[in-house]
Each structure stands twice: as structure tokens, then as C-alpha cells.
Amino acid sequence: MKSLAVFPSSREVRLIDTPEPVVAGPTEVKLRILEAGVCGTDREITSFQYGTPPANCPHLVIGHEALGEVTDVGSGVTGLAPGDLAVPMVRRPCPHDRCAPCRRGRPDFCITGDFTERGIKGAHGYMTEFIVDDQRYMVKVPKELREVAVLLEPLTVAEKAAEQVRALAARLPGELKDDPSSLSAVVLGAGPIGLLGAMKLVNGGFHTWVYSRDSADSPNVKIASAIGARFVSSAEHSPVELAQLVGNISLVYEATGAAKVSFEVLSVLGVNGVFIFTGVPGVLAPIEIDAERIMRNLVLNNQVICGTVNAGRAAFEEGVQDLASFVKRFPAAVSALITARVVLDDARDAVLSRGGIKSVIAVA
Ligand SMILES: [Zn+2]
Ligand SMILES: [Zn+2]
């Protein structure tokens, strides 16, 4: 079968022929990949900044965002049958007994760093025709979500963030815990992670603002507007002006990977505010930040900064519910996130090129 692979040592990216995997254990599930999403992580891997092949393998099959159809199951599989749709999770636990998060099914909080991630670190990914994995890493998706379920994995960034916000809001007596309808949230960035986060926030009742450098007539900003979020251009308005427009900023969902603008917005976070970082910046030269102001605000305003990576099973399951809800509430906006669908033969070009919001490899 065809797979898109990177060869870090020879710096090549190409389609290769790999053996089709088979169900070998009683709890394994085989998926025919229907679609695989392309994201910034894939672009980093194919530009050799990131990505680790499995041990003793010269190449890594990339892709970590996928939707598949079950074609075969082991004798002990429950809850999934041939014909069902499923989305495979990304991270797999490390082998160490001392890692309580991995031993308790939360490798997204792994403490050893020896986890693997399919398509990213130490395990082949999903830009291929078939995969096999244990049922515990497969999340069933209703057939009605066939056209958009490839967005589930990027949505789980927002879902895990929401899980963190709920835990952090539990300390507060007020609205962030009980009723966000009087609160304002700011999304930094209008890429797929930002826009899916904005959908989650709008759906959760927040007054939602999107702050990005996109132009007001870009497709990204049109989607933000279509779902009822308000757009503020970071090219035209400073973070201080953003805060004047928004009022008390209770929540920031960072989805840019850009440190400078993120810390500038952190310096205008509101009373009892929570700032969630999801982006991974490149390691560039140090930047200047207003550390005194940020530290003063953190203390005097009871603020929390929280980073979050990857997602557990609950985030995937909540994401399935949310995708269904988004499709009901703003169907055109959800579909508009996918700006290109290309066949597997053209996957290399789709990964190496830029442009559009989300490109998807339509494998089957
Ligand atoms: Zn991704
Ligand atoms: Zn671990």
C-alpha cells in the first residue's frame, strides 16, 4: 500500500510502498484510512525540524489527523465493527512503571518523555491506506460526521484546553465555572486550531473574539464572523486596544505559536483570567516582554497560565459531541475549514505547500 514518508537522514519526502498491516491481537482494529488532515506539525516534520522514525527504521510515515472505516476487528473488540467510522488517537503511553499518567491511560501527561506519537515520534502515522491499532486508541464517530470528522484530532486541542479550564475554574466562585454567558474569551490566531477553538467557545456561550493578523476579508475571518465571533486585527489594533474593545478578558485560547503577541495579550488578561497556551514556537532569538506588568497582573488578578499538549480519550469523545453540535449550528463554517481535498498521490505537494485553511488527503 502507498504511504507518505519522510527520510530524515537523506532529507527526502516521498510516497513509498509499505506492507498492509493485519489484525494480529484480539483487541486490534484495522482501519481503511478515508481522509488524513495536513497541519503545521506535518510541515515541520517534512522540513526536518521535527519527527522521529520508529526505532531501526529509516523513515517515518507521517500524518496524525485521520478518519477511517473499520474493515477488520480482533475477536475481543467491543463497540467497533466493520463499516463503523473511527478516528485514531495520536499519543501512546511510555513503557515505564513509574509513569502514573501513562499507566492510568493519560499519556498526554506522560512524565518520562518516552511516549510515542503516531506520525510524529517513534511510530508510523496515518497518511497511508490502512492502519491497525488497539481498540483503546480508536474513537467511534457517527456516520453523519463523515465529511468533517477528519477535524476531530485538531479539535481535541480545544477539548483538552476546555478540560483544563474547567479544572482551573473550579477554584473560582463565579461565572467561569457556572455560566460563561457574561464572560469574554479571546482566541489568538485564526488557523484551524484557533477557529475550532472559537467554535467551542461560541458554542459554550462565551462572547468570543478572534485576534489575528489575517485581513478582514480572508476566508479565516469570514468563518470567525459566520459563527458569531468578533474579529480584531492584530495588524491594526494593539493588545491594549483589544482589551479596551473586549472589556475584562476572562479567557485566552492561544493558537498562534507566536510568543511575542501571546505575551503581549497575556499582559492585558483580565481579573481571574485564564490563559491557555497551545502553540509551539520555534526557538528564535529572545524577545522583550513586560515581565513586571505580567507578574503584577498575575498576582493582583488571580490569573492562571496553563500550557496543554495532545489529548486524552475524553477529549476525543467530547469532540465528537461538539463536532455534531457545530455541524447543526454552523454547518457551512465547519465545511469551510477544509479548503482542499487531494488524493494520496498528491499528498507530498499538499504537505509541502502552504495556503488555505486545512488541506485533507482523501485516501479512499
Ligand atoms: Zn495536527
Ligand atoms: Zn509516560
Side-chain angles (χ1 to χ4, degrees):
M1 61 177 189
K2 277 183 279 193
S3 305
L4 184 64
V6 294
F7 292 75
S9 57
S10 55
R11 295 175 77 90
E12 285 175 280
V13 183
R14 58 185 159 93
L15 279 173
I16 59 170
D17 194 33
T18 52
E20 189 174 315
V22 292
V23 168
T27 56
E28 287 186 343
V29 175
K30 181 170 177 175
L31 292 188
R32 178 200 311 279
I33 298 295
L34 301 174
E35 296 192 324
V38 178
C39 84
T41 302
D42 301 308
R43 297 199 173 97
E44 282 169 19
I45 295 171
T46 52
S47 55
F48 313 103
Q49 304 167 42
Y50 207 64
T52 314
N56 305 317
C57 184
H59 68 268
L60 171 72
V61 175
I62 65 167
H64 56 274
E65 306 176 1
L67 167 68
E69 179 184 351
V70 178
T71 58
D72 192 14
V73 295
S75 58
V77 169
T78 52
L80 278 173
D84 285 342
L85 298 183
V87 166
M89 293 167 62
V90 181
R91 194 177 279 194
R92 304 290 180 267
C94 76
H96 308 293
D97 285 341
R98 70 177 193 279
C99 186
C102 283
R103 302 290 69 77
R104 292 175 199 188
R106 288 303 300 263
D108 54 319
F109 284 105
C110 178
I111 60 170
T112 69
D114 290 338
F115 57 83
T116 56
E117 287 173 335
R118 291 201 61 163
I120 302 172
K121 179 178 181 284
H124 292 309
Y126 307 143
M127 285 192 196
T128 183
E129 295 177 68
F130 292 93
I131 63 159
V132 168
D133 214 326
D134 195 274
Q135 62 176 346
R136 90 188 96 145
Y137 306 122
M138 302 278 183
V139 179
K140 189 172 172 179
V141 170
K143 297 221 164 69
E144 306 84 78
L145 296 180
R146 165 70 177 81
E147 293 305 308
V148 295
V150 71
L151 299 170
L152 178 58
E153 196 283 333
L155 174 60
T156 62
V157 178
E159 299 295 349
K160 182 173 170 187
E163 185 183 87
Q164 306 310 299
V165 170
R166 285 193 291 269
L168 297 168
R171 77 205 162 105
L172 296 171
E175 300 89 346
L176 190 53
K177 184 167 62 178
D178 307 322
D179 174 21
S181 64
S182 63
L183 301 182
S184 292
V186 172
V187 175
L188 300 186
I193 302 285
L195 290 171
L196 286 163
M199 288 180 186
K200 169 97 180 153
L201 287 163
V202 168
N203 217 32
F206 286 89
H207 298 281
T208 304
W209 299 71
V210 172
Y211 186 58
S212 85
R213 61 185 179 188
D214 298 87
S215 62
D217 61 354
S218 69
N220 309 52
V221 172
K222 283 186 183 138
I223 292 173
S225 305
I227 65 169
R230 276 170 284 183
F231 169 69
V232 179
S233 161
S234 63
E236 289 169 20
H237 297 281
S238 69
V240 169
E241 290 168 341
L242 170 73
Q244 283 162 354
L245 289 165
V246 173
N248 192 70
I249 300 175
S250 295
L251 179 62
V252 175
Y253 178 68
E254 179 279 317
T256 64
K260 186 167 168 34
V261 68
S262 298
F263 278 88
E264 285 171 0
V265 173
L266 174 59
S267 74
V268 298
L269 182 65
V271 179
N272 298 339
V274 174
F275 192 112
I276 303 285
F277 278 100
T278 77
V280 182
V283 182
L284 305 170
I287 56 165
E288 219 166 87
I289 63 168
D290 192 350
E292 262 125 16
R293 175 171 166 159
I294 290 169
M295 182 168 164
R296 193 168 60 228
N297 286 348
L298 278 167
V299 172
L300 296 178
N301 290 326
N302 299 297
Q303 294 167 342
V304 181
I305 308 174
C306 175
T308 169
V309 69
N310 213 268
R313 188 172 184 95
F316 277 80
E317 284 173 351
E318 194 174 331
V320 173
Q321 304 303 318
D322 277 339
L323 261 187
S325 164
F326 299 169
V327 166
K328 273 204 191 80
R329 188 166 171 173
F330 14 75
V334 181
S335 303
L337 289 170
I338 299 174
T339 42
R341 278 189 162 90
V342 305
V343 296
L344 188 54
D345 281 330
D346 296 332
R348 182 179 186 276
D349 289 346
V351 174
L352 295 179
S353 66
R354 287 182 174 271
I357 302 174
K358 169 68 75 184
S359 297
V360 165
I361 315 301
V363 179

